[in-house]
Amino acid sequence: MPGGGSVRLREEYSRGRLWTATVDIGGSVVGYLRAYGQPIRYGYVPRPWPLSHYQTVFATEPGSAEMPSAARPFSDRVVTRLVAAGVQFAPVLLHTGVASPEAHERPYPERFVVPETTARLVTQARSGGGRVIAVGTTAVRALETAATAAGVVTATSGWTELVVTPDRGVRAVDGLLTGFHEPRASHLDLLETVAGRPLLDRMYTEALESRYLWHEFGDVNLILP
C-alpha cells in the first residue's frame, strides 16, 4: 500500500466484492485515507474530483465509505431559504457502507447516531401533524432504527442491521429525498415502503425515458406517499 501500509485479506464478506481485512498502516485509518484514499467514482464521471466534492453541507464526522448522495444538492443558501420558510432540520449520523453496485445483497451493519434533540424534534413534528422528510435512505435507516412501533423516536446510537421493507413499513418517516438506485438494490424495497409500488414504477419509467443520471452526481427526487 502507499506510504508503507499493508492490508491482509482474511475472508470474503460478500460474494466476489467485499472482504474483511487486517489493516496495518501505522496510524489512524481516517488519516491514512485522507492522505492516500480516492472516492468511489462512477463511469459517467469524466474525471476525478477532490474529496471535498463528496462531502455534503451536513457532514461533520468522517466515516462513510460512500457519499450519502441525497444531500449533495443542498448548499448553505438552500438550507437558509428552507429554514426561513419554516422548515426545521434535525441532524442524524449514519456512516454509509459500500452501496453500489449492489447485487441485491442485504445492506450490512452501519454505525449511526440519532441525538436527543433530533429524537425530540421528530416526535414533536409527528405529534403536531407535521411531516418528517428524510434526506436519503441513510437517514431513513437511522431514524427507523431509533423508532418504536408507535413511531416515537428516542435517542439511540450503535450499529444498525435494520432492513426497511414493505412488510415492516415505516414508523418515523413520511417521505424522503433520494437519488435513483440499481434495479436489484435493496434501497428499492425501502422506496417501495414509502411510495408504494405503482408510484415507484412510474418514477423509474420517467427516469429511464428522460435519461436521468444515477448515483452521486445524478438527480435527486422527492418521494411522498
Side-chain angles (χ1 to χ4, degrees):
M1 299 284 286
S6 66
V7 170
R8 179 184 297 275
L9 301 182
R10 305 188 67 87
E11 60 181 347
E12 279 191 305
Y13 186 87
S14 63
R15 186 174 179 182
R17 199 162 72 91
L18 302 176
W19 289 72
T20 57
T22 301
V23 181
D24 182 8
I25 52 176
S28 75
V29 172
V30 170
Y32 184 85
L33 291 175
R34 187 176 285 118
Y36 299 107
Q38 297 181 25
I40 293 172
R41 189 165 116 237
Y42 291 93
Y44 69 79
V45 180
R47 64 182 179 86
W49 293 93
L51 184 61
S52 60
H53 281 61
Y54 291 82
Q55 293 170 327
T56 72
V57 69
F58 301 113
T60 59
E61 181 180 325
S64 290
E66 288 195 43
M67 179 176 68
S69 54
R72 187 68 181 81
F74 283 85
S75 65
D76 295 340
R77 178 176 173 79
V78 168
V79 172
T80 299
R81 291 178 64 185
L82 288 169
V83 170
V87 176
Q88 290 184 303
F89 283 84
V92 297
L93 181 145
L94 187 136
H95 287 314
T96 60
V98 180
S100 300
E102 184 184 346
H104 212 67
E105 303 160 358
R106 297 293 85 185
Y108 45 87
E110 295 171 314
R111 190 159 64 88
F112 80 103
V113 178
V114 175
E116 177 64 42
T117 301
T118 295
R120 183 173 66 253
L121 286 172
V122 170
T123 300
Q124 287 174 349
R126 292 184 60 80
S127 62
R131 291 190 299 192
V132 177
I133 307 300
V135 181
T137 56
T138 55
V140 174
R141 195 181 198 195
L143 284 174
E144 291 295 322
T145 300
T148 67
V152 176
V153 175
T154 59
T156 316
S157 63
W159 291 81
T160 177
E161 299 186 38
L162 176 66
V163 180
V164 178
T165 65
D167 289 338
R168 178 199 182 270
V170 285
R171 300 166 181 174
V173 172
D174 299 299
L176 76 153
L177 285 158
T178 185
F180 293 101
H181 302 279
E182 299 291 347
R184 292 179 294 169
S186 66
H187 301 81
L188 296 180
D189 294 335
L190 188 155
L191 301 191
E192 183 179 349
T193 304
V194 175
R197 190 72 201 190
L199 177 57
L200 190 65
D201 288 343
R202 285 168 52 203
M203 288 164 44
Y204 275 78
T205 298
E206 175 68 21
L208 291 168
E209 290 177 351
S210 301
R211 299 179 63 83
Y212 279 48
L213 294 178
W214 258 233
H215 303 308
E216 278 106 340
F217 299 104
D219 294 279
V220 170
N221 61 114
L222 172 63
I223 299 177
L224 297 172

